[in-house]
Amino acid sequence: CQEEGTIFIRGKVAQISDKPKDSSEEGKLIAIAEDTLLGEGVRVPVDMVILCTAVEAREDAVDVGRVFGVNQGADGFFLEEHPKLGPLNTATEGVFLCGCCQKPMDIPDTVSQASGAAVKALSLATKGRVDIAPTISYIDPDVCVGCKTCIPLCPYTAIEFDDRRQISVVNEAICKGCGSCSGVCPSGAAQSKHFTKKQIFAEIGGIF
Ligand code: SF4
Ligand code: SF4
């Protein structure tokens, strides 16, 4: 590149200005920076400033998100559980995010996020147990007919098929209690704990 006339200046741009100081800067954008090798400030008049090269989510993010139960935004990047209440967390317990899988991110931010994710993973590992929500689903093994309708519809891949018993089984450590399986199950085998049809009808009966 340098043979072609490209000039590299090591430094960090502090400001982009459109206020010229002299005629050579008229009609230009001026990158104001410090040349960290020379230790002095520089003003570089330019036609165009490219602040950041474009970054897109990986094409296989859909497959990775599906396997680990991580949601994606409209732009394809992975989403945290909550930016303030659950930073680095995902919808799946024990799976944490850091770096450019969430959004374009520089190295210092990526390193600090990675440190945070490592600490969260370590605290789970040292605790030795996983707390699960009380409102998860279960599949009644005596009622399930093994049609597998529920398996592809679970957004957290929490349902597995037990080949030996020919029924579907909910992995309670992964289930988030979204209720999709109980909504589609034709036999009524999949139910949400504490929100069974019997309990809901009892609540309705109580209201009237
Ligand atoms: S409620 Fe059913 S569909 Fe939803 S996460 Fe749990 S097993 Fe999957
Ligand atoms: S949809 Fe219902 S009956 Fe079919 S496999 Fe799932 S739990 Fe069993």
Side-chain angles (χ1 to χ4, degrees):
C1 279
Q2 280 167 302
E3 293 80 41
E4 304 286 335
T6 307
I7 301 169
F8 289 94
I9 299 173
R10 199 187 80 169
K12 221 171 190 179
V13 176
Q15 189 184 356
I16 303 293
S17 172
D18 59 357
K19 296 184 174 53
K21 265 191 171 176
D22 53 46
S23 58
S24 69
E25 295 181 353
E26 286 289 346
K28 302 264 188 183
L29 291 170
I30 304 112
I32 302 170
E34 181 194 2
D35 184 325
T36 52
L37 292 179
L38 297 177
E40 60 185 35
V42 290
R43 291 174 64 90
V44 184
V46 293
D47 297 321
M48 181 188 290
V49 174
I50 300 172
L51 294 175
C52 178
T53 51
V55 177
E56 291 184 341
R58 287 176 58 106
E59 280 182 11
D60 59 2
V62 179
D63 300 326
V64 174
R66 173 97 187 130
V67 169
F68 291 102
V70 181
N71 296 323
Q72 288 175 278
D75 53 13
F77 287 101
F78 292 140
L79 292 175
E80 289 173 324
E81 185 183 25
H82 190 284
K84 289 192 173 65
L85 302 178
L88 310 183
N89 295 358
T90 65
T92 305
E93 200 74 37
V95 176
F96 305 102
L97 299 177
C98 61
C100 286
C101 63
Q102 292 182 72
K103 58 189 172 187
M105 196 173 290
D106 61 13
I107 293 172
D109 282 352
T110 301
V111 170
S112 59
Q113 277 207 335
S115 303
V119 168
K120 288 194 173 205
L122 195 61
S123 71
L124 266 185
T126 51
K127 199 160 76 171
R129 63 182 166 80
V130 176
D131 296 324
I132 56 175
T135 52
I136 56 175
S137 282
Y138 72 97
I139 291 174
D140 188 335
D142 296 329
V143 181
C144 176
V145 294
C147 68
K148 301 185 183 177
T149 307
C150 54
I151 294 176
L153 294 175
C154 174
Y156 301 100
T157 60
I159 306 175
E160 294 159 2
F161 193 71
D162 184 333
D163 285 320
R164 188 178 62 80
R165 294 189 292 164
Q166 289 294 298
I167 56 169
S168 292
V169 180
V170 172
N171 183 333
E172 296 190 343
I174 302 176
C175 174
K176 288 290 171 184
C178 70
S180 299
C181 54
S182 52
V184 298
C185 178
S187 68
Q191 296 275 327
S192 297
K193 285 183 180 174
H194 311 295
F195 287 98
T196 61
K197 283 182 183 155
K198 195 175 168 188
Q199 287 171 311
I200 290 172
F201 282 128
E203 279 183 29
I204 295 170
I207 292 170
F208 294 106

